[in-house]
Amino acid sequence: SSGINAEYGNCDSLDELQDDRDWSWLIDNGSPNGNRLSYEGSNDGYPTDVLVIANLEDLDTASYSCNCKVGPYKTVQFNSPDVQMSVMRPPGIPKEISLLETTMDTLTIAWKNEEDMGVVLDYKISYKKVGSTAYREFSTGVSVTNHLIKNLDPLTEYYVKIAAANNAGSGTYSEIATFTTAQPSESRPVIVGPKNLIVTSDNAYLLETGLGIDISLTCEVNSYPASVVEWSLNDRTITTEPTGGMPNNFERSVLNKSDFTSVYMLYIKSTRPENDGTYSCVATNTKGAAAITYSVEVSKEEDNESDAEASKDSSSSSISLATLTMLSSLTFTLHIWGQ
């Protein structure tokens, strides 16, 4: 990298008995400049000459070798193998970012490089939705001047900027370009069901629960154009103010994951016997409709305990003390299971 120091060592004389020696460095583009300093040192007991190049510049790109003359008259000389050093600066700035192709979730972009770009090994692409705060950044891993940005939202405007990179680091980012993904094709809604529930023979998701439990039903809808979504219980629409015997312990919410994907939630607070039944989520747009069905079964554990107590009372007069003890133990066990 430019602006740092480079140190070349291990230009060693392998003859420990030769104390009279002259060192010199041979450089294919001329003599060392003022930023170079040669000094003697030691490497595992052998005399060593080290060439330090301070504050590297482009002109320091060269082939270097070490020359050592020994003997009383310096008539014997040795040259080291050449070492090629290339000074590398961060690349220049990409320019003229253009859009080659767009789909509902991808952008294919291209760009040009400055004439004096330098060595480019990689590009960094940063992008974000217009109006958002943080950029997402990734490296292309190649020096090709086009790339595909994936996993975008449909019909959404994005800011894009690019920086070139090499072993010396990343250059300055380009000017920001603005591109918009395509809108999806119109189609009937698609509903994504839960992954952790059993599907019954009636193609309904089975959810078994006890009394007094809070549960939630989900309905993820992918739709363009947008859909109208309704929940129902046993073919009766669930409204904000239930009437005619409809349970009133429902709450509804919606989470918009994108402009075309929303998750509709139906919460059932503290389940009751009347919450038992078939729940449907129906999404409808101008292209058609889709539905998902849940079969909710609310356990009647409290009724079972009452039946057991009544049975025990009716037969208490004709059983022995030992039998009473066994039933007491059995009743206690059932009580713990019911908890």
Side-chain angles (χ1 to χ4, degrees), residues 266-280:
L266 178 66
Y267 301 97
I268 306 176
K269 300 292 186 178
S270 188
T271 52
R272 311 167 187 172
E274 58 264 32
N275 292 128
D276 198 287
T278 300
Y279 292 78
S280 297

Side-chain angles (χ1 to χ4, degrees), residues 45-242:
Y46 297 107
T48 300
D49 192 76
V50 179
L51 177 67
V52 176
I53 308 173
N55 194 23
L56 285 172
E57 302 174 6
D58 292 339
L59 59 85
D60 292 314
T61 295
S63 178
Y64 294 80
S65 65
C66 177
N67 175 265
C68 180
K69 296 180 180 180
V70 298
Y73 303 102
K74 310 298 187 292
T75 55
V76 180
Q77 67 176 1
F78 304 92
N79 287 333
S80 71
D82 290 348
V83 175
Q84 179 67 39
M85 181 176 69
S86 297
V87 178
M88 185 179 293
R89 295 178 179 271
I93 305 173
K95 60 181 182 179
E96 299 181 24
I97 305 176
S98 60
L99 181 65
L100 297 182
E101 184 181 5
T102 181
T103 67
M104 61 179 287
D105 58 356
T106 67
L107 293 171
T108 303
I109 59 173
W111 58 92
K112 296 180 181 179
N113 288 332
E114 296 177 332
E115 293 183 4
D116 188 18
M117 192 70 176
V119 177
V120 178
L121 302 179
D122 186 15
Y123 290 95
K124 292 184 177 180
I125 297 179
S126 290
Y127 66 96
K128 70 174 183 177
K129 293 181 182 179
V130 173
S132 63
T133 56
Y135 276 93
R136 295 181 179 179
E137 182 183 82
F138 66 92
S139 296
T140 64
V142 293
S143 59
V144 179
T145 57
N146 60 75
H147 202 77
L148 175 69
I149 306 176
K150 299 184 290 185
N151 300 321
L152 306 177
D153 290 336
L155 202 59
T156 303
E157 198 172 26
Y158 285 88
Y159 288 143
V160 180
K161 59 182 181 178
I162 303 170
N166 59 25
N167 291 336
S170 299
T172 303
Y173 268 104
S174 66
E175 294 183 355
I176 295 174
T178 306
F179 304 113
T180 303
T181 51
Q183 72 177 27
S185 57
E186 295 187 359
S187 62
R188 63 192 296 267
V190 175
I191 297 181
V192 180
K195 298 180 180 179
N196 58 341
L197 295 180
I198 298 173
V199 179
T200 68
S201 58
D202 295 330
N203 203 29
Y205 291 93
L206 177 62
L207 199 160
E208 298 175 312
T209 184
L211 292 172
I213 306 298
D214 294 345
I215 64 174
S216 61
L217 310 180
T218 63
C219 180
E220 181 174 327
V221 180
N222 298 307
S223 176
Y224 183 79
S227 291
V228 175
V229 175
E230 288 187 346
W231 285 95
S232 65
L233 169 58
N234 298 328
D235 296 327
R236 295 178 60 192
T237 302
I238 298 174
T239 61
T240 54
E241 297 181 359

